[in-house]
């Protein structure tokens, strides 16, 4: 064939056409050995091969929804899963096996296998779907029907809506208590938090937030005693974070943060909380101890989603305009990696273990 010679270990050339059977056999063994070495190197460390060295930054998978292209990008593999039109909010179940994704203006909710991206079910729940979540019990999911002023409860055994809970005008997002007994819903149109009993599927309390307009995204403190709430002001206005004592229902502190609205999260240790500023280019770092702004980190244009892993080492944020997943060291509070996303408008992200 076109291969006439191969190099040997000492740099000389071994002819395959002119040499005898011994030389041809040696050449074949050399080529086969080389191919086997390459194949073995690819299978020994598939994580490194697919993740291009990113695996150290992702102890658990991170899922980023790319709203304008309808895709989910999974890290560290950087796999791209298609077929989720207008994917808006995404969360992962407590065992890390199931994704729930809101379809925003499609009015749909998507369920997918968190390992393969295979679509498991699609439900129509309204005209405009905002936040979604999966209970820490793993038995139900919830979807915020903003157009209908309700939260839909979905059985994860049948993927059917079992209850519809009216919560008020223009609800936005929902988080669970650590045991799944309660759910907290931000009701933007009423400037309050609706507290749901998930055993009875009813609102048991409306918690007003005096002087705080348009509650938006939330994070529950690790001890379950406080709810950190980011608001949704006008685009040219600074945002605020209210810290609500869940026993008394009172606001313990109102903290001024960056432009417009954003996501909200805290470290599993409770040491720090984070909120994003979609109208700017910063992630604001807040101290639960002093309830003050500690630092603003430049991450790129239009950050919205923010999540930390349970190990407390990394904080992740997705930027909607610069279109990157940004990794922050939670100890130094410095950006360690900016990873270009494969789709457009990385709006939200999910990491296992966040309620």
């Amino acid at each position: 064939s076109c291969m006439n010679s191969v190099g040997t270990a000492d740099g000389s050339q071994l002819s395959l056409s002119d040499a005898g059977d011994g030389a041809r056999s040696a050449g074949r063994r050399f080529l086969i050995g080389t191919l086997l070495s390459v194949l073995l190197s690819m299978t020994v460390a598939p994580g490194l091969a697919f993740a291009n060295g990113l695996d150290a930054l992702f102890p658990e998978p991170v899922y980023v929804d790319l709203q304008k292209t309808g895709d989910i990008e999974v890290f560290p593999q950087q796999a791209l899963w298609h077929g989720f039109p207008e994917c808006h909010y995404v969360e992962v179940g407590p065992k890390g096996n199931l994704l729930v994704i809101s379809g925003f203006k499609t009015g749909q909710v998507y369920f997918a296998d968190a390992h393969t991206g295979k679509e498991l079910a699609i439900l129509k729940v309204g005209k405009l779907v905002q936040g979604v979540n999966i209970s820490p019990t793993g038995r139900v999911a919830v979807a915020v029907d903003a157009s209908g002023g309700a939260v839909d409860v979905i059985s994860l055994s049948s993927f059917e809506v079992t209850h519809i809970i009216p919560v008020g005008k223009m609800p936005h997002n929902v988080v669970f208590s650590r045991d799944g007994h309660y759910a907290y819903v931000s009701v933007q149109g009423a400037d309050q938090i609706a507290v749901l009993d998930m055993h009875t599927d009813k609102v048991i309390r409306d918690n007003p937030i005096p002087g705080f307009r348009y509650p938006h995204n939330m994070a529950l403190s690790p001890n379950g005693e406080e709810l950190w709430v980011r608001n949704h002001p006008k685009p040219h206005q600074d945002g605020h974070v209210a810290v609500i004592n869940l026993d008394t229902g009172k606001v313990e502190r109102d903290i001024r943060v960056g432009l417009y609205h954003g996501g909200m999260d805290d470290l599993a240790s409770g040491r720090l909380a984070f909120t994003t500023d979609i109208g700017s280019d910063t992630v604001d770092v807040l101290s639960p101890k002093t309830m003050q702004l500690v630092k603003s980190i430049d991450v790129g244009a239009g950050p919205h989603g923010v999540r930390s892993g349970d190990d407390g080492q990394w904080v992740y944020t997705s930027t909607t305009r610069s279109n990157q997943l940004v990794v922050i060291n939670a100890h130094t509070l410095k950006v360690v990696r900016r990873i270009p996303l494969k789709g457009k408008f990385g709006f939200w992200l999910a990491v296992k273990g966040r309620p």
Side-chain angles (χ1 to χ4, degrees), residues 23-178:
R24 279 193 291 270
S25 297
R28 290 191 189 99
R29 286 196 298 272
F30 177 83
L31 289 173
I32 291 170
T34 301
L35 288 171
L36 284 173
S37 297
V38 172
L39 289 172
L40 284 171
S41 70
M42 291 174 67
T43 56
V44 167
L48 292 176
F50 287 118
N52 298 319
L54 296 179
D55 59 315
L57 300 177
F58 299 92
E60 293 281 354
V62 173
Y63 305 87
V64 183
D65 63 13
L66 305 168
Q67 186 174 312
K68 291 188 176 179
T69 46
D71 302 318
I72 302 291
E73 187 168 355
V74 189
F75 291 85
Q77 301 96 321
Q78 292 182 281
L80 198 62
W81 296 340
H82 307 291
F84 308 99
E86 294 194 41
C87 50
H88 192 51
Y89 283 95
V90 57
E91 297 294 351
V92 60
K95 294 183 179 180
N97 295 326
L98 181 68
L99 293 182
V100 60
I101 306 154
S102 66
F104 199 31
K105 294 179 183 179
T106 68
Q108 295 179 323
V109 175
Y110 314 108
F111 290 93
D113 187 303
H115 302 294
T116 65
K118 180 183 178 181
E119 186 180 279
L120 302 175
I122 301 178
L123 281 74
K124 179 78 172 179
V125 301
K127 294 180 181 179
L128 179 68
V129 186
Q130 292 281 7
V132 288
N133 215 329
I134 296 175
S135 168
T137 66
R139 292 194 292 266
V140 298
V142 289
V144 176
D145 175 7
S147 56
V151 171
D152 287 32
V153 182
I154 302 165
S155 166
L156 293 181
S157 60
S158 63
F159 293 117
E160 294 179 347
V161 174
T162 58
H163 293 89
I164 297 176
I165 308 172
V167 294
K169 184 180 179 182
M170 205 165 64
H172 187 75
N173 213 336
V174 56
V175 297
F176 284 97
S177 62
R178 299 286 167 179

Side-chain angles (χ1 to χ4, degrees), residues 259-282:
L259 278 175
Y260 208 17
H261 63 88
M264 190 82 230
D265 197 31
D266 48 22
L267 295 179
S269 66
R271 184 172 58 88
L272 295 171
F274 300 85
T275 188
T276 48
D277 308 315
I278 198 171
S280 180
D281 54 8
T282 48

